Amino acid sequence: MLGDGLFGVCLADSSNKIRGWNGPKMVGTIAKITKCEDVELDGMQLQVETIGRSKFRIKKLFPPSIDLPENYDPYSMEGHQAISDLNEKSQDDEKLYIRAEVELIPEIDESVSLNQWENLIDLWKKKTLSQALPQEIEPGALDQILTQYYLSTDTPTIDYVYSLAALGAQDPNDLQPILEANSMEDLMQEIEKLMTVK
């Protein structure tokens, strides 16, 4: 926040342990801080809003200076105290978090046809209706959701496609294959898999 407001975001990968901590998935997103404000008067909690920028691939990981403490609970006061104590004992140049050397991944610069977009919208609607069962959704309600998320358009862009995918995902891990797609063909296939009713 004191610099350019950019940072890397990766999903945790529980199969990639680094000194006991969950390491990151190897493809992530550069995020830009668009808003930051105190939630509590003590300044201990911040509300941070971000927007995704470009994709990156991790080339090299740098481990944290400490192992995962035994019985560590990041949501408890004891957990915070354990990390605080370890921080006080650490050297000034040591980092308590995992760092990485990354390379940017070129963006998909192909255009999205209206036919592709309408197909994705149709798949999203079918999936949403199926997941709502046995409850029924009024026909116009799904169009209102698209309007609410600024996804009603006749000129779709790649950003619209990513936003629709996020709207159709139940879990952030559902979006990892979409993030890793490197061509429009791969991207469309991954989103169709995501939106297909199972």
Side-chain angles (χ1 to χ4, degrees):
M1 284 168 22
L2 296 176
D4 57 11
L6 298 175
F7 62 97
V9 179
C10 294
L11 290 178
D13 184 354
S14 59
S15 66
N16 179 19
K17 297 288 185 185
I18 302 173
R19 298 195 74 174
W21 302 93
N22 285 340
K25 298 275 189 184
M26 299 308 280
V27 174
T29 305
I30 299 288
K32 167 95 176 143
I33 297 173
T34 56
K35 183 179 177 183
C36 180
E37 56 188 31
D38 287 337
V39 175
E40 302 281 333
L41 293 177
D42 60 10
M44 296 300 288
Q45 289 188 7
L46 298 173
Q47 179 179 359
V48 178
E49 291 181 14
T50 63
I51 186 167
R53 290 290 187 209
S54 49
K55 302 188 297 185
F56 64 84
R57 180 176 293 106
I58 293 175
K59 291 172 58 176
K60 182 178 179 182
L61 285 169
F62 301 96
S65 61
I66 60 167
D67 292 328
L68 177 67
E70 197 172 322
N71 300 321
Y72 173 63
D73 178 4
Y75 304 106
S76 69
M77 289 305 295
E78 293 80 10
H80 285 274
Q81 189 60 49
I83 294 300
S84 180
D85 293 345
L86 288 167
N87 187 31
E88 287 180 19
K89 294 175 188 172
S90 70
Q91 306 281 337
D92 286 343
D93 58 345
E94 293 180 334
K95 302 295 183 190
L96 297 178
Y97 50 88
I98 299 170
R99 295 169 295 137
E101 180 181 317
V102 303
E103 63 183 352
L104 293 179
I105 298 172
E107 295 296 318
I108 298 170
D109 61 358
E110 300 166 58
S111 59
V112 180
S113 74
L114 188 56
N115 189 34
Q116 287 173 312
W117 177 245
E118 288 174 347
N119 178 51
L120 293 179
I121 292 290
D122 187 52
L123 289 171
W124 172 77
K125 286 181 176 181
K126 286 177 182 172
K127 180 178 182 179
T128 304
L129 290 170
S130 173
Q131 289 175 332
L133 292 173
Q135 186 177 5
E136 291 188 23
I137 298 176
E138 291 184 29
L142 294 179
D143 290 326
Q144 288 177 345
I145 292 171
L146 293 172
T147 301
Q148 177 184 349
Y149 285 94
Y150 306 103
L151 293 175
S152 294
T153 183
D154 291 330
T155 54
T157 65
I158 196 80
D159 290 335
Y160 282 85
V161 172
Y162 286 127
S163 294
L164 184 66
L167 196 58
Q170 293 185 323
D171 180 278
N173 287 298
D174 293 344
L175 297 171
Q176 188 68 29
I178 291 164
L179 182 65
E180 294 177 5
N182 290 317
S183 69
M184 184 61 76
E185 182 181 351
D186 290 345
L187 179 64
M188 289 298 164
Q189 286 177 356
E190 292 299 338
I191 295 177
E192 286 173 10
K193 277 190 223 172
L194 172 70
M195 299 296 185
T196 299
V197 177
K198 295 172 185 157

